[in-house]
Amino acid sequence: MPRLVNPHGGGSLKPLLLPEEVRKEELKRARSLPPVRLSSREKGDLIMLGIGGFTPLDGFMTRADWEGVCDGYKTASGLFWPIPITLSTDEATAQGIQAGMEIALVDGEAGTIMATMKVTEKYTIDKAHECMMVYKTTDPEHPGVKMVLDQGPVNLAGPVKVLSEGDFPTRYPGIYMTPAQTRAIFEKKGWATVAAFQTRNPMHRSHEYLVKIAIEVCDGVLIHSLLGNLKPGDIPAEVRTRAIATLIDNYFVKDTVVQAGYPLDMRYAGPREALLHAVFRQNYGCSHLIVGRDHAGVGSYYGPFDAHRIFDEIPRDALEIRPLKIDWTFWCYRCGGMASARTCPHEDRDRLLLSGTKLRKALSEGLEIPNEFSRPEVLAILREYYSGLKDEERVEVKLSGHSAR
């Protein structure tokens, strides 16, 4: 029987969510512990630790881990890891916490207890250094940089016992899945090679084309939507996943794709985030990651194919998952269909370049959208969403960087 790719690190999945039968007792104990509030990004990271998406990590990183990941893509133990997974807090809270203590991790928005953690270290970092190494900029206008600059000045490290997946299972039933669940689905289908398609947008024709290329060379594709927070103006997950389901029903062969979602916030870290996407997609059972133009980028902070090149810069044995690098894709009027820069010999004037930003801008301004850009069933769902927005809910969408071409 064909075998799925190993979880990252070569062992078994390592979910840190406590079994249901012992959660109640740990939650009762957690109520007596000093609370530390989680940001939205930290909450998503914690849930990924809980469900095994960040296998084989056992909690939030130490200073040695932070430094090793920033400067050399490795934790202190030598594990390949591309982006620090850290927990921060304010100075007043940190003063009451010492190494060896246990704390309760609390959802900063809902106020519910998410986990307990044994603090092994308390430390500070150079935020500007993290931003330069991970995001290649210290510009506070970059949404990922802002995330780092806004976090507390003190980091706490230590192993966690996760008690909750938040509202993701109830808010996204049938879409939100754990790595164990996707692996079980792939095994039931008899898939061994599975390509992951990362998306934070509804799928337009270019996205559809990328997934269909992957179906040609793999047993199947996991269309994997981000369910956490995005930047203002992006389309909510509830709308995106419904649009994707409609596309799958109407334009894909049955049982060639699986749609699922994961609980992280978007970091917009470009090449580094592409590597993080590869790490946790390997944990979800994927052997390949589709890497297209400006993967996980924003604005013009990264080159359009920096995320391709970064996979050539890491040791080959760092990951079992492999990138499927695909060139700029577009609709070519002379070819009469979707094509890429590697397959189409025609000029820019013959091409309709597609991007999620262009689609959002056209929808938000009520502009005409050609059929070559997006499927009509998808556009109907998106237009319904935009027509229901109040004026104060609308965000001006600006074209910049590669999306402006």
Side-chain angles (χ1 to χ4, degrees), residues 26-27 29-38 42 46 60 86-90 93-106 113-122 154-163:
E26 184 69 7
L27 180 60
R29 197 174 70 83
R31 293 193 183 103
S32 65
L33 300 176
V36 171
R37 298 181 76 82
L38 300 167
E42 291 163 345
L46 177 72
F60 289 102
T86 56
L87 170 68
S88 68
T89 192
D90 58 89
T93 301
Q95 283 178 358
I97 298 171
Q98 302 302 325
M101 287 180 59
E102 288 191 272
I103 58 175
L105 304 183
V106 178
I113 294 174
M114 299 292 297
T116 59
M117 172 173 146
K118 184 166 185 178
V119 179
T120 58
E121 186 181 352
K122 195 167 65 166
V154 181
N155 280 12
L156 304 174
V160 296
K161 296 177 182 177
V162 182
L163 303 172

Coordinates of all heavy atoms in Angstrom, one line a residue, residues 26-27 29-38 42 46 60 86-90 93-106 113-122 154-163:
E26 N -7.7 19.4 34.1 CA -6.7 20.4 33.8 C -7.2 21.8 33.7 O -6.6 22.8 34.1 CB -5.9 20.0 32.5 CG -4.7 20.9 32.2 CD -3.6 20.7 33.1 OE1 -3.6 19.8 34.0 OE2 -2.6 21.5 33.0
L27 N -8.4 21.9 33.1 CA -9.1 23.2 33.0 C -9.4 23.8 34.4 O -9.2 25.0 34.7 CB -10.4 23.1 32.2 CG -11.1 24.4 32.0 CD1 -10.3 25.5 31.3 CD2 -12.4 24.2 31.2
R29 N -7.8 23.1 37.1 CA -6.5 23.5 37.7 C -6.0 24.8 37.1 O -5.4 25.7 37.8 CB -5.4 22.4 37.5 CG -4.2 22.5 38.4 CD -3.3 21.3 38.1 NE -2.7 21.3 36.8 CZ -1.6 22.0 36.5 NH1 -1.0 22.7 37.5 NH2 -1.1 21.9 35.3
A30 N -6.3 25.0 35.8 CA -5.8 26.2 35.1 C -6.4 27.5 35.6 O -5.8 28.5 35.6 CB -6.1 26.1 33.6
R31 N -7.6 27.4 36.2 CA -8.3 28.6 36.7 C -7.6 29.2 37.9 O -7.8 30.3 38.3 CB -9.7 28.2 37.1 CG -10.6 27.9 35.9 CD -12.1 27.8 36.2 NE -12.9 27.4 35.1 CZ -13.4 26.2 34.9 NH1 -13.2 25.3 35.8 NH2 -14.1 25.9 33.8
S32 N -6.7 28.4 38.5 CA -6.0 28.9 39.7 C -4.6 29.4 39.3 O -3.8 29.9 40.2 CB -5.8 27.8 40.7 OG -5.0 26.7 40.2
L33 N -4.2 29.3 38.0 CA -2.9 29.7 37.6 C -2.9 31.2 37.1 O -3.9 31.7 36.7 CB -2.4 28.8 36.5 CG -2.3 27.3 36.8 CD1 -1.9 26.5 35.5 CD2 -1.3 27.1 37.9
P34 N -1.7 31.8 37.2 CA -1.6 33.2 36.6 C -2.0 33.2 35.1 O -1.4 32.4 34.4 CB -0.2 33.6 36.9 CG 0.3 32.6 37.9 CD -0.4 31.4 37.8
P35 N -2.9 34.1 34.7 CA -3.2 34.1 33.3 C -2.3 35.0 32.4 O -1.8 36.0 32.8 CB -4.6 34.7 33.3 CG -4.6 35.7 34.5 CD -3.7 35.0 35.5
V36 N -2.1 34.5 31.2 CA -1.4 35.3 30.2 C -2.3 35.3 28.9 O -2.7 34.3 28.4 CB 0.0 34.7 29.8 CG1 0.6 35.4 28.6 CG2 0.9 34.8 31.0
R37 N -2.5 36.5 28.5 CA -3.5 36.7 27.3 C -2.7 36.4 26.0 O -1.6 36.9 25.8 CB -4.1 38.0 27.3 CG -5.0 38.3 28.6 CD -5.6 39.6 28.6 NE -6.8 39.7 27.7 CZ -8.0 39.2 28.0 NH1 -8.2 38.6 29.2 NH2 -9.0 39.3 27.1
L38 N -3.4 35.7 25.1 CA -2.8 35.4 23.8 C -3.3 36.4 22.7 O -4.5 36.8 22.7 CB -3.3 34.0 23.3 CG -2.9 32.8 24.2 CD1 -3.7 31.6 23.8 CD2 -1.4 32.6 24.1
E42 N -0.9 34.3 18.3 CA -0.4 33.3 19.2 C -1.5 32.2 19.4 O -1.2 31.1 19.6 CB -0.1 34.0 20.5 CG 1.2 34.9 20.4 CD 1.3 35.8 21.6 OE1 0.3 36.1 22.3 OE2 2.4 36.4 21.8
L46 N -0.9 28.3 18.9 CA -1.2 27.4 20.0 C -2.1 26.2 19.5 O -1.9 25.1 19.8 CB -1.9 28.1 21.2 CG -2.3 27.2 22.3 CD1 -1.1 26.7 23.1 CD2 -3.2 27.9 23.3
F60 N 6.1 26.8 23.1 CA 6.7 28.1 22.5 C 8.2 28.1 22.7 O 8.7 27.6 23.7 CB 6.0 29.2 23.2 CG 4.6 29.4 22.8 CD1 3.5 29.0 23.6 CD2 4.3 30.0 21.5 CE1 2.2 29.2 23.2 CE2 3.0 30.1 21.1 CZ 1.9 29.7 21.9
T86 N 6.6 32.0 19.0 CA 6.9 32.5 20.3 C 5.6 33.1 20.9 O 4.6 33.4 20.3 CB 7.9 33.7 20.1 OG1 7.4 34.7 19.2 CG2 9.3 33.2 19.7
L87 N 5.8 33.2 22.3 CA 4.7 33.8 23.1 C 5.2 35.0 23.8 O 6.3 35.0 24.4 CB 4.2 32.7 24.1 CG 3.3 33.2 25.2 CD1 1.9 33.6 24.6 CD2 3.1 32.2 26.3
S88 N 4.5 36.1 23.8 CA 5.0 37.3 24.4 C 4.0 37.8 25.4 O 2.8 37.5 25.4 CB 5.3 38.4 23.4 OG 4.1 38.9 22.8
T89 N 4.4 38.7 26.3 CA 3.5 39.4 27.2 C 4.1 40.7 27.6 O 5.2 41.1 27.3 CB 3.3 38.5 28.5 OG1 2.2 39.0 29.3 CG2 4.5 38.4 29.4
D90 N 3.3 41.5 28.4 CA 3.7 42.8 28.8 C 4.6 42.7 30.1 O 4.7 41.7 30.7 CB 2.5 43.7 29.1 CG 1.6 43.1 30.2 OD1 1.9 43.3 31.4 OD2 0.7 42.3 29.8
T93 N 2.9 41.8 33.5 CA 2.5 40.4 33.7 C 3.8 39.6 33.9 O 3.8 38.6 34.7 CB 1.7 39.9 32.4 OG1 0.6 40.7 32.3 CG2 1.4 38.4 32.6
A94 N 4.8 39.9 33.1 CA 6.1 39.1 33.1 C 6.7 39.2 34.5 O 7.4 38.2 35.0 CB 7.0 39.6 32.1
Q95 N 6.6 40.3 35.2 CA 7.2 40.5 36.5 C 6.7 39.4 37.5 O 7.4 39.0 38.4 CB 7.0 41.9 37.0 CG 7.9 42.9 36.4 CD 7.6 44.3 36.9 OE1 6.7 44.5 37.7 NE2 8.4 45.3 36.4
G96 N 5.5 39.0 37.4 CA 4.9 38.1 38.3 C 5.1 36.6 37.9 O 4.6 35.7 38.5
I97 N 5.9 36.4 36.9 CA 6.2 35.0 36.4 C 7.6 34.7 36.4 O 8.5 35.5 36.0 CB 5.6 34.9 34.9 CG1 4.1 35.1 34.9 CG2 6.0 33.5 34.3 CD1 3.6 35.2 33.5
Q98 N 8.0 33.5 37.0 CA 9.4 33.1 37.0 C 9.5 31.7 36.4 O 8.5 31.0 36.3 CB 9.8 33.0 38.5 CG 9.7 34.3 39.3 CD 10.5 35.4 38.6 OE1 11.6 35.2 38.1 NE2 10.0 36.7 38.7
A99 N 10.7 31.4 35.9 CA 10.9 30.0 35.4 C 10.6 29.0 36.4 O 10.8 29.1 37.6 CB 12.4 29.9 35.0
G100 N 9.9 27.9 35.9 CA 9.4 26.9 36.8 C 7.9 27.0 37.1 O 7.3 26.0 37.6
M101 N 7.4 28.2 37.0 CA 6.0 28.4 37.3 C 5.1 27.9 36.1 O 5.5 27.7 35.0 CB 5.7 29.9 37.4 CG 6.2 30.5 38.7 SD 5.8 32.3 38.8 CE 4.0 32.3 38.7
E102 N 3.8 27.6 36.5 CA 2.8 27.2 35.5 C 1.9 28.4 35.3 O 1.6 29.1 36.2 CB 2.1 26.0 35.9 CG 2.9 24.7 35.8 CD 2.1 23.5 35.9 OE1 1.9 23.0 37.0 OE2 1.6 23.0 34.9
I103 N 1.5 28.6 34.1 CA 0.5 29.7 33.7 C -0.6 29.2 32.9 O -0.5 28.1 32.3 CB 1.3 30.8 33.0 CG1 1.9 30.3 31.7 CG2 2.3 31.5 33.9 CD1 2.5 31.4 30.8
A104 N -1.7 29.9 32.9 CA -2.8 29.6 32.0 C -2.8 30.6 30.8 O -2.6 31.8 31.0 CB -4.1 29.8 32.8
L105 N -3.0 30.0 29.6 CA -3.0 30.8 28.4 C -4.4 31.1 28.0 O -5.2 30.1 27.8 CB -2.2 30.1 27.2 CG -0.8 29.7 27.6 CD1 -0.1 29.1 26.4 CD2 0.0 30.9 28.0
V106 N -4.7 32.4 27.9 CA -6.1 32.8 27.7 C -6.3 33.5 26.4 O -5.5 34.3 26.0 CB -6.5 33.8 28.9 CG1 -7.9 34.3 28.7 CG2 -6.3 33.1 30.2
I113 N -9.9 30.0 28.6 CA -8.6 29.4 28.9 C -8.4 28.4 27.7 O -9.2 27.5 27.4 CB -8.6 28.7 30.2 CG1 -8.7 29.7 31.3 CG2 -7.3 27.9 30.4 CD1 -8.8 29.1 32.7
M114 N -7.2 28.5 27.1 CA -6.9 27.7 25.9 C -5.9 26.6 26.2 O -5.8 25.6 25.6 CB -6.3 28.6 24.8 CG -7.2 29.7 24.3 SD -8.6 29.0 23.4 CE -7.8 28.2 22.0
A115 N -5.0 26.8 27.3 CA -3.9 25.9 27.6 C -3.3 26.2 28.9 O -3.5 27.3 29.5 CB -2.9 25.9 26.5
T116 N -2.5 25.3 29.4 CA -1.6 25.6 30.5 C -0.2 25.4 29.9 O 0.1 24.7 28.9 CB -1.8 24.6 31.7 OG1 -1.6 23.2 31.2 CG2 -3.2 24.8 32.3
M117 N 0.8 26.1 30.6 CA 2.1 26.1 30.1 C 3.1 26.2 31.3 O 2.9 26.9 32.2 CB 2.4 27.3 29.2 CG 3.8 27.5 28.8 SD 3.9 28.8 27.5 CE 5.5 29.5 27.9
K118 N 4.1 25.3 31.3 CA 5.2 25.4 32.3 C 6.3 26.3 31.7 O 6.9 26.0 30.7 CB 5.7 24.0 32.6 CG 6.8 24.1 33.7 CD 7.1 22.8 34.3 CE 8.0 22.9 35.5 NZ 8.3 21.6 36.1
V119 N 6.5 27.4 32.4 CA 7.5 28.4 31.9 C 8.9 27.9 32.2 O 9.3 27.6 33.3 CB 7.3 29.8 32.5 CG1 8.3 30.8 32.0 CG2 5.9 30.3 32.2
T120 N 9.7 27.8 31.1 CA 11.1 27.3 31.3 C 12.1 28.5 31.2 O 13.2 28.4 31.6 CB 11.5 26.3 30.2 OG1 11.2 26.8 28.9 CG2 10.6 25.0 30.4
E121 N 11.6 29.6 30.6 CA 12.5 30.7 30.3 C 11.7 32.0 30.1 O 10.6 31.9 29.5 CB 13.4 30.4 29.1 CG 14.5 31.4 28.8 CD 15.3 31.1 27.6 OE1 15.1 30.0 27.0 OE2 16.1 32.0 27.2
K122 N 12.3 33.1 30.5 CA 11.7 34.4 30.3 C 12.8 35.2 29.6 O 13.9 35.3 30.1 CB 11.3 35.0 31.6 CG 10.4 36.2 31.6 CD 9.8 36.5 32.9 CE 10.8 36.9 34.0 NZ 10.2 37.5 35.2
V154 N 8.4 41.0 26.5 CA 9.0 39.8 27.1 C 8.4 38.5 26.5 O 7.1 38.4 26.4 CB 8.7 39.8 28.6 CG1 9.4 38.6 29.3 CG2 9.2 41.1 29.3
N155 N 9.3 37.6 26.2 CA 8.8 36.3 25.6 C 8.9 35.3 26.7 O 9.8 35.3 27.6 CB 9.7 35.9 24.5 CG 9.3 36.5 23.2 OD1 8.6 37.5 23.1 ND2 9.9 36.0 22.1
L156 N 7.9 34.3 26.7 CA 7.9 33.2 27.6 C 8.0 31.9 26.8 O 7.3 31.7 25.8 CB 6.6 33.2 28.4 CG 6.2 34.5 29.2 CD1 4.8 34.4 29.7 CD2 7.2 34.7 30.3
A157 N 8.9 31.0 27.3 CA 9.1 29.7 26.6 C 8.6 28.6 27.5 O 8.6 28.7 28.7 CB 10.5 29.6 26.3
G158 N 8.2 27.5 26.8 CA 7.9 26.3 27.6 C 6.9 25.4 26.9 O 6.2 25.8 26.0
P159 N 6.8 24.2 27.4 CA 5.9 23.2 26.8 C 4.4 23.5 27.2 O 4.2 24.1 28.3 CB 6.3 21.9 27.4 CG 7.0 22.2 28.7 CD 7.6 23.6 28.5
V160 N 3.5 23.2 26.4 CA 2.1 23.5 26.6 C 1.2 22.2 26.7 O 1.5 21.2 26.1 CB 1.5 24.4 25.5 CG1 2.2 25.8 25.6 CG2 1.6 23.8 24.1
K161 N 0.1 22.3 27.4 CA -1.0 21.3 27.4 C -2.2 22.1 26.8 O -2.7 23.0 27.5 CB -1.2 20.8 28.8 CG -0.1 20.0 29.4 CD -0.4 19.5 30.8 CE 0.8 18.8 31.4 NZ 0.5 18.4 32.8
V162 N -2.6 21.7 25.6 CA -3.7 22.5 25.0 C -5.0 21.9 25.4 O -5.2 20.7 25.4 CB -3.5 22.4 23.4 CG1 -4.6 23.3 22.7 CG2 -2.1 23.0 23.1
L163 N -6.0 22.8 25.7 CA -7.3 22.4 26.2 C -8.4 22.7 25.2 O -9.5 22.3 25.4 CB -7.5 23.2 27.5 CG -6.5 22.9 28.6 CD1 -6.8 23.9 29.8 CD2 -6.5 21.5 29.0

